[in-house]
Amino acid sequence: MDQYDVIIIGGGLAGISCGIELAQNNYKVLILEKSPHMGGRTASWDDHGMLVETGSHRVIGYYKHLPKLLKKAGVDINDIVSWEDKLDVLSPKHENVTTFGVAPLFGPFTLIRAMLGNNQSFSAKAKLSLAPFFKAGLNEYKKDPKRLDQMSILEFARQNGVHKDAIHLFIEALCNGIFFTPPERFSAYVFFGILAPAPSRFYKMRIGGFLGGMSEVMFNSLVYHFENLGGKIMLNSEVQRLITEEERVEGVSLNESNILAKHVVLATELGAAKQIINQSQIDLINFYSMLKLPTAAAVSVQLELTEPALEHDRTTFAPGTALASFSEQSRSTFTHVPGRISIIIGPSDRYIDYKDDSLLQLVYEESEKIGLNINGKVTDYRVVKHPEEFYSVAPGHDLLRPVQKTVVPGLTLAGDYTKQPFFSTMEGAVFSGELASKNVKKELNI
């Protein structure tokens, strides 16, 4: 029976981040991934002739942990993403496109034009109403985060006099577009937490879309680096439960075998982590808050078209529709097809049980509301669903997020649902892996 220093359950960003940190310190590490490919929610693959991804992802310019991890694998993030200095908002309530500048250093004139323009849809009064809202929110985020997490961002915006157009075109757009959750069910603490790193790294702010499938341009390099460090990966390996001996985790049980280790890192998405904990012989009271933390679904519809759906490859939000966010990727990520659009559907919990053809029809109907004419141009499509892979960002849930260190000897947690300041993002997943590796090294060196 093989024995390792560390077994990591889950081959996403949290798992590979933790694995690289440990392997480069000469620990014998095994990553177990239940899928036929690594990458987790940042994977891309060929689905019967159509290239698909887990969902449309964007890199934020002020990220530092993800770029640092990629640099270890010899990848410069600037070589694998196309940076955007603006984003668009299309709403059925307004005929005009509302454009926001998002890169103060790299696109200052775009930012200024956006602040001074968009007046037909976004009046000066609406813009000015955001200033006291941001000031109050970021201040409350530092002073009383628990109180802020008890209210929705919609409630907070109304309390602070935000104009209805600013709520619709900015707050609703961001909530649905980033975490596919409407503002009335979106924690004010999480909303300002996403924005909190921006002031200190304001000059770094911009949005990056991947120049190819995420597995090809990003994750495969991380896997190659991990294996070069001596790490081992087993795909198609679903962990059923943790092996325990006198309340200490000693390894994992697969379908047909057991694998032992001095330490185990549970780095799966939240739904799978809960399932493994529930099936293991450990005291569940130790994981009370984690097991109580609700999961959230995600749904994306990815379309190949006879021509581009939009003039620009740019992040686009569509508040007032089920099209939470989307982008035209035929000039960036999927250059081999004439047109390609990946759409995040929201609120996701409303549509998770829809059949694929019903979701396609929904996309047709909702796209017409914002003048996005794709009917009759679709040559192929795929639907990708994540029933329980995210944690709910509704009010009151942040307190339930567990830290990486557990009270159970031999077990550490990793994943963007664990406690760290970057929430449910790629940056959060990477940083959680770093924190988990530090705890493992500390436990093994005691």
Side-chain angles (χ1 to χ4, degrees), residues 261-307:
K262 299 175 184 176
H263 203 96
V264 173
V265 178
L266 185 52
T268 67
E269 69 276 3
L270 178 58
K274 286 184 175 185
Q275 184 176 0
I276 291 171
I277 292 295
N278 278 316
Q279 292 176 342
S280 302
Q281 297 297 315
I282 52 181
D283 192 345
L284 298 184
I285 196 66
N286 295 321
F287 301 91
Y288 175 79
S289 63
M290 171 187 168
L291 294 174
K292 195 175 178 182
L293 178 61
T295 58
V299 181
S300 73
V301 180
Q302 301 169 38
L303 311 169
E304 289 187 354
L305 309 166
T306 56
E307 61 184 42

Side-chain angles (χ1 to χ4, degrees), residues 153-404:
I153 192 60
L154 180 62
E155 179 185 2
F156 187 85
R158 287 173 173 168
Q159 285 183 4
N160 285 273
V162 178
H163 192 279
K164 63 178 182 179
D165 286 339
I167 289 176
H168 176 64
L169 291 171
F170 184 77
I171 297 174
E172 182 182 344
L174 285 182
C175 292
N176 281 323
I178 297 176
F179 288 136
F180 17 93
T181 302
E184 63 269 20
R185 290 193 280 124
F186 199 111
S187 163
Y189 173 75
V190 175
F191 184 91
F192 287 108
I194 296 168
L195 302 174
S200 61
R201 295 174 62 81
F202 191 60
Y203 67 101
K204 289 279 191 178
M205 182 61 191
R206 49 182 172 166
I207 300 173
F210 285 96
L211 293 170
M214 286 180 289
S215 289
E216 290 72 26
V217 302
M218 180 179 75
F219 215 92
N220 289 349
S221 296
L222 296 174
V223 169
Y224 182 74
H225 180 58
F226 172 69
E227 292 179 327
N228 274 351
L229 291 169
K232 183 178 179 181
I233 293 171
M234 289 175 56
L235 301 176
N236 299 302
S237 301
E238 184 172 4
V239 172
Q240 302 299 314
R241 62 182 179 85
L242 304 172
I243 298 173
T244 56
E245 183 69 30
E246 296 181 352
E247 298 186 0
R248 178 181 179 84
V249 173
E250 301 282 353
V252 300
S253 177
L254 306 177
N255 281 325
E256 299 178 354
S257 63
N258 294 337
I259 308 177
L260 301 182
K262 299 175 184 176
H263 203 96
V264 173
V265 178
L266 185 52
T268 67
E269 69 276 3
L270 178 58
K274 286 184 175 185
Q275 184 176 0
I276 291 171
I277 292 295
N278 278 316
Q279 292 176 342
S280 302
Q281 297 297 315
I282 52 181
D283 192 345
L284 298 184
I285 196 66
N286 295 321
F287 301 91
Y288 175 79
S289 63
M290 171 187 168
L291 294 174
K292 195 175 178 182
L293 178 61
T295 58
V299 181
S300 73
V301 180
Q302 301 169 38
L303 311 169
E304 289 187 354
L305 309 166
T306 56
E307 61 184 42
L310 297 165
E311 293 182 4
H312 310 283
D313 288 23
R314 185 181 299 162
T315 301
T316 305
F317 299 139
T321 76
L323 314 182
S325 64
F326 54 91
S327 58
E328 170 57 63
Q329 300 173 299
S330 60
R331 304 179 194 89
S332 54
T333 309
F334 301 99
T335 58
H336 64 288
V337 290
R340 163 70 185 228
I341 188 168
S342 292
I343 303 170
I344 304 297
I345 304 296
S348 52
D349 56 353
R350 183 184 302 171
Y351 301 107
I352 189 66
D353 294 325
Y354 273 43
K355 295 181 179 179
D356 289 3
D357 56 350
S358 298
L359 284 168
L360 180 61
Q361 186 59 40
L362 174 72
V363 168
Y364 286 149
E365 294 170 357
E366 297 294 278
S367 62
E368 288 182 2
K369 295 179 181 179
I370 54 174
L372 188 66
N373 183 18
I374 60 173
N375 205 339
K377 299 178 181 178
V378 176
T379 59
D380 206 353
Y381 80 101
R382 296 290 187 276
V383 172
V384 178
K385 294 181 178 180
H386 302 287
E388 292 186 306
E389 295 192 11
F390 294 83
Y391 74 91
S392 170
V393 295
H397 292 166
D398 192 73
L399 288 173
L400 299 175
R401 295 168 65 197
V403 296
Q404 291 75 32

Side-chain angles (χ1 to χ4, degrees), residues 75-144:
V75 178
D76 185 335
I77 198 166
N78 295 302
D79 293 335
I80 66 171
V81 302
S82 173
W83 292 109
E84 309 166 6
D85 63 0
K86 63 184 73 172
L87 60 82
D88 290 336
V89 177
L90 300 177
S91 167
K93 295 182 179 182
H94 302 279
E95 293 183 6
N96 304 91
V97 178
T98 304
T99 299
F100 291 95
V102 295
L105 177 63
F106 300 98
F109 297 111
T110 300
L111 181 66
I112 293 170
R113 282 196 297 269
M115 292 174 63
L116 298 177
N118 298 312
N119 292 318
Q120 291 177 307
S121 58
F122 206 20
S123 67
K125 184 177 180 180
K127 296 171 191 171
L128 290 172
S129 71
L130 287 172
F133 161 78
F134 279 122
K135 182 178 180 181
L138 291 172
N139 183 57
E140 193 77 6
Y141 176 80
K142 295 178 180 178
K143 288 179 56 180
D144 197 349

